[in-house]
Amino acid sequence: MEFQSQIKAIADKISNLKDKIETEESTKHAFVLPFINALGYDAFNPTEVVPEFTADLGLKKGEKVDYAIFQNNTPILIVECKNWKETLDNHNSQLFRYFHTTKTRFALLTNGIQYRFYTDLEQPNKMDEKPFLEFDITKIKDNEIHEISKFHKSNFDVDKIVNNASALKYTKEIKKCIAEELMVPTHDFVKLFANRVYSGRLTEKVMEEFTEIVQKAFNQTVSEKVNDRLNAALNKEAEKQQLDTIEVKEEECKIVTTDEELDGYRIVVAILRRKLPVNRIVYRDTQSYFGILLDNNNRKPLCRLHLNAGTKYIGLIDKDKNETREVIQSVDDIYQFEEVLLNTVDFYID
């Protein structure tokens, strides 16, 4: 939960500050370095975070990547930063070159808001063209924070991240394909379903008709699935409320208000009516005691009667709403506590 709070705090900071950030350097210091710190790495410790890390390419010297994060003297993540106003689409080729010259399995391209994590799933030591993890930190989701946490210093495990990266990458790509097909179904997509339900020849006119049918069918299916989930959640809540109601009713059925309790209530009313209208003095019976309240408010107890056990008590309430029990032989003994009961009213009236 602490890591999640840190990431969301960075998101809030970005939303408040981004319009005041003008340069790439400012983006690094205000947005990217706090993110690196949240991952558990000390941005001011050169053995953990190396700025301007040299990534020479053959005869081409002086190539530098903005940051390299080290663990056990080995780079585990290289980070290339851009100004928050820049799109990242035109910059992965630069990171691609750096990736090839280092021993790391992971690379991050970011403008402080958009984050793209890469690895080498397709060819060893050659960065994939598409990221396996991508998110906007200002719109961060809990499942994305869970994936980011795997890069935390305390959790970092190369094999686990790489094994999971493949599923993340291709799941994202398939979801993207599905979304595109739902918007504008391709010929192959329509043909796949038309062949299953239509026995005639798939002419151009038939394909046009099925394009609309397939699109409508898929949208309806998605809507129905959403409605099913919503109805299931609503039904579950309704069942819970019904069970709660049944439990309350069962509890109420166990409560029997005795004549003795009602006599005690009348005595208390007779005492307190000197300071209160009768309609403001209300009783509420429970399994454990017979409560007398001001304005039928549980937070304003006037006294409690305990009359159903072997020993009878009256529960007197002090200014801190603590109860002190006094033994009584019968409800007539309540008159002995007239002054205390009248003083209790003052706690609420004042």
Side-chain angles (χ1 to χ4, degrees), residues 248-265:
V248 169
K249 288 182 177 178
E250 288 177 348
E251 189 76 14
E252 290 174 350
C253 288
K254 297 175 184 177
I255 298 171
V256 177
T257 301
T258 66
D259 290 339
E260 187 178 33
E261 288 171 331
L262 291 174
D263 287 342
Y265 168 67

Side-chain angles (χ1 to χ4, degrees), residues 4-18 31 137-140:
Q4 185 179 50
S5 299
Q6 288 177 319
I7 294 298
K8 291 188 174 180
I10 294 172
D12 292 339
K13 179 182 178 183
I14 290 171
S15 299
N16 294 329
L17 292 182
K18 67 178 183 179
F31 301 160
I137 198 169
T138 63
K139 302 173 184 175
I140 196 76

